[in-house]
C-alpha cells in the first residue's frame, strides 16, 4: 500500500449517511489509545466525540483516512472560538496495523492546511504513552516540525480512597474563614460570574511550559454553556468551591467529571493567588473526592493530568493518594 491508495474524507457526525464512517473514525482513536496505554486508555467515548463536534467552545473539523472500505486514520482540528484565535489543536490517530505508510502525514497536512485557511498559526498536539513505553507519536510530531512544549504526568487515584484521611483534612473546615461547598451537575446562578473569573485566572495561573496560550475570555454564559455540554455528553459533574466566608467570594475550585463508563476525570483545580498557603488545594480535593465516593460509589478511580513542573499540585495529589500511571506531552508548531 502507498499513501496514494488512501482517501481522506471530511467526516460529518450529523449526517446519517456517514454514521458508519463516524463510528469507525471513533474506533481508530480508541484503538490507537489502547495501543499506547493499554486498557487504561484515555480515548473519548463515541457520544462524547459527537457532542464535542457540536461544541460552541471550539470549532471542530474531522477527517477519516480510508483504505479500500476501511477507516484506518482519524484527525480532528479544534479551533478555540472565544480566545486564542490564532491557535488550533490537532488530534491524530492511525490504526496500529497501518502505521509508517504515510497516513498520519497525509492527515496532518490536511488539518494544517485547514488551520492556515482559518488564520491559525500556532498548532498544538498531544501524545500519550504508558509507563515504560516509548512516545511513538512524539517521534512523528518531531519529524513534522513540532517542538516539545510541556511534559505532563497522568496520575490516578484508585477509589475508594482512604475516607478517614480525607475527612481528617476537612476537620475544622470553616474555622479559618474558608468553607468548602460542593454541588453536582451545575452551580447556583449567583456563582456563575465568580466561576467565570476563576476560569479566566486558571487559564494563565497554571504552568504552561512553552505553550503560546493567551488568557481565556470567560463570562457567565460561557460557564453555563460548558455545563450544558457536559450534560449533553452524558457526564455527571461535581464542583467544590472554597468560599471566603467574610466576603462570600469564590477563591478556589476543583471539578471532577464522571463519564458514562464510570470513569472520573479531574478537571481544573485553582486557588486564587491571594488565598494560597491555607491548605485550600488539599481541602478542595478531599471534599470533591469524598463527594464522588458518596454519590457514585461504583467509580473505580479519578484521573488527572499535571504539568511535570507543577510541584504544588503534584504534592497535593500525592497527599490525596494519586499515583502516576502514564505520560503526556504537548507539542507545538508555529506555522
Ligand atoms: C503518530 C501517528 C499518527 C503516526 O501515524 P503514521 O501513519 O504511522 O505516520 P507516517 O507514516 O506518516 O510517519 C511519517 C514519519 O513520521 C516518523 N515516525 C512516525 N512514527 C514513528 C515512530 N514510531 N518512530 C519513529 N519515527 C516515527 C517517521 O519519520 C515517519 O517516516 P518514515 O516512516 O518514512 O520513517 C501514529 O503513530 C499514531 O496514531 N500514534 C498514536 C496517536 C498519537 O500519538 N497522535 C499524536 C500525533 S502528533
Amino acid at each position: 500500500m502507498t499513501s496514494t491508495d488512501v482517501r481522506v474524507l471530511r467526516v460529518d457526525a450529523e449526517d446519517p449517511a456517514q454514521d458508519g464512517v463516524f463510528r469507525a473514525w471513533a474506533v481508530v482513536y480508541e484503538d490507537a489509545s489502547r495501543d499506547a496505554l493499554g486498557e487504561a486508555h484515555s480515548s473519548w467515548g463515541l457520544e462524547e466525540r459527537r457532542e464535542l463536534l457540536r461544541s460552541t467552545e471550539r470549532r471542530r473539523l474531522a477527517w477519516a483516512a480510508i483504505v479500500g472500505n476501511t477507516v484506518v486514520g482519524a484527525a480532528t482540528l479544534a479551533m478555540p472560538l472565544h480566545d486564542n484565535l490564532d491557535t488550533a489543536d490537532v488530534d491524530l490517530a492511525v490504526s496500529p496495523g497501518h502505521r509508517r505508510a504515510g497516513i498520519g502525514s497525509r492527515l496532518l497536512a490536511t488539518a494544517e492546511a485547514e488551520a492556515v485557511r482559518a488564520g491559525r498559526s500556532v498548532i498544538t498536539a498531544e501524545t500519550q504513552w504508558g509507563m515504560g513505553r516509548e512516545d511513538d507519536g512524539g517521534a512523528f510530531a518531531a519529524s513534522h516540525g513540532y517542538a516539545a512544549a510541556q511534559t505532563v504526568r497522568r496520575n490516578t487515584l484508585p477509589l475508594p480512597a482512604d475516607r478517614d484521611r480525607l475527612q481528617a483534612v476537612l476537620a475544622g473546615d470553616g474555622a479559618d474563614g474558608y468553607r468548602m461547598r460542593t454541588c453536582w451537575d451545575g452551580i447556583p446562578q449567583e456563582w456563575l460570574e465568580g466561576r467565570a473569573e476563576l476560569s479566566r485566572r486558571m487559564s494563565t495561573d497554571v504552568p504552561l511550559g512553552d505553550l503560546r496560550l493567551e488568557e481565556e475570555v470567560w463570562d457567565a454564559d460561557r460557564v453555563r454553556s460548558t455545563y450544558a455540554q457536559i450534560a449533553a455528553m452524558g457526564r455527571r459533574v461535581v464542583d467544590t468551591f472554597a468560599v471566603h466566608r467574610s466576603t462570600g467570594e469564590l477563591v478556589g475550585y476543583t471539578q471532577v467529571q464522571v463519564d458514562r463508563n464510570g470513569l472520573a476525570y479531574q478537571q481544573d483545580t485553582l486557588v486564587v493567588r491571594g488565598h494560597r498557603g491555607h491548605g485550600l488545594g488539599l481541602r478542595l480535593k478531599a471534599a470533591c473526592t469524598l463527594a464522588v465516593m458518596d454519590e457514585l460509589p461504583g467509580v473505580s478511580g479519578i484521573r488527572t493530568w499535571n504539568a511535570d513542573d507543577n510541584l504544588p499540585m503534584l504534592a497535593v495529589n500525592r497527599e490525596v493518594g494519586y499515583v502516576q500511571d502514564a505520560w503526556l506531552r504537548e507539542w507545538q508548531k508555529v506555522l
Side-chain angles (χ1 to χ4, degrees):
M1 184 190 68
T2 68
S3 60
T4 49
D5 299 323
V6 180
R7 193 160 56 93
V8 173
L9 176 76
R10 183 72 186 274
V11 179
D12 179 357
E14 304 297 332
D15 179 358
Q18 279 205 11
D19 191 56
V21 172
F22 170 63
R23 286 171 186 277
W25 168 90
V27 167
V28 170
Y29 280 115
E30 194 173 317
D31 286 349
S33 190
R34 192 173 270 118
D35 182 63
L37 296 158
E39 277 316 304
H41 65 85
S42 289
S43 190
W44 300 98
L46 180 78
E47 294 310 323
E48 291 184 331
R49 286 193 183 276
R50 197 191 299 277
E51 203 47 49
L52 286 170
L53 288 167
R54 293 177 180 147
S55 169
T56 55
E57 278 284 303
R58 293 165 160 225
R59 176 167 177 246
R60 283 186 168 82
L61 304 176
W63 295 270
I66 302 175
V67 175
N69 288 321
T70 310
V71 177
V72 297
T76 308
L77 182 71
M79 297 179 275
L81 293 172
H82 295 278
D83 43 56
N84 289 286
L85 299 178
D86 58 345
T87 73
D89 185 70
V90 181
D91 185 6
L92 203 60
V94 172
S95 301
H98 290 83
R99 294 195 179 158
R100 305 302 286 267
I103 296 170
S105 303
R106 272 279 297 277
L107 285 168
L108 182 62
T110 303
E112 285 183 349
E114 189 62 41
V116 170
R117 256 195 297 281
R120 312 275 165 154
S121 54
V122 179
I123 315 295
T124 55
E126 282 178 7
T127 56
Q128 296 199 58
W129 66 102
M131 306 302 284
R133 297 182 185 217
E134 295 289 314
D135 179 13
D136 289 340
F140 169 85
S143 77
H144 287 80
Y146 285 72
Q150 191 174 46
T151 301
V152 176
R153 292 172 190 267
R154 189 183 88 177
N155 295 312
T156 297
L157 174 69
L159 292 186
D162 184 339
R163 180 176 288 276
D164 292 345
R165 212 163 116 204
L166 296 176
Q167 278 169 343
V169 169
L170 291 168
D173 182 44
D176 63 350
Y178 299 97
R179 188 180 286 289
M180 301 300 120
R181 288 272 180 250
T182 294
C183 25
W184 277 92
D185 304 319
I187 62 174
Q189 172 82 13
E190 62 273 21
W191 283 0
L192 291 172
E193 289 289 349
R195 175 66 160 80
E197 175 60 12
L198 290 171
S199 289
R200 180 183 73 78
R201 292 189 183 209
M202 176 78 198
S203 66
T204 50
D205 269 9
V206 291
L208 291 172
D210 294 329
L211 290 167
R212 294 200 196 186
L213 295 175
E214 63 180 28
E215 186 174 88
E216 294 179 2
V217 176
W218 281 88
D219 60 16
D221 278 347
R222 184 171 175 188
V223 173
R224 210 180 279 112
S225 79
T226 63
Y227 284 102
Q229 183 181 3
I230 293 165
M233 286 167 75
R235 290 185 162 204
R236 301 285 315 272
V237 54
V238 55
D239 289 270
T240 299
F241 290 94
V243 183
H244 188 225
R245 295 185 71 190
S246 61
T247 60
E249 197 190 338
L250 304 181
V251 299
Y253 75 115
T254 191
Q255 182 184 85
V256 170
Q257 296 177 17
V258 183
D259 73 12
R260 293 165 194 253
N261 301 319
L263 251 175
Y265 294 89
Q266 173 72 58
Q267 309 290 319
D268 299 351
T269 300
L270 177 77
V271 175
V272 170
R273 282 188 196 281
H275 299 273
R276 293 185 186 164
H278 300 277
L280 296 179
L282 185 57
R283 263 149 73 185
L284 282 165
K285 284 256 171 152
C288 199
T289 304
L290 284 168
V292 173
M293 285 164 58
D294 289 343
E295 175 85 5
L296 299 171
V299 173
S300 60
I302 306 178
R303 281 184 192 161
T304 185
W305 282 262
N306 306 117
D308 202 24
D309 57 346
N310 193 346
L311 300 182
M313 196 70 256
L314 288 167
V316 164
N317 286 340
R318 238 188 328 269
E319 183 75 23
V320 175
Y322 280 85
V323 177
Q324 185 180 359
D325 60 356
W327 290 99
L328 180 151
R329 187 160 286 137
E330 301 281 354
W331 297 84
Q332 181 174 258
K333 179 175 177 179
V334 181
L335 294 174

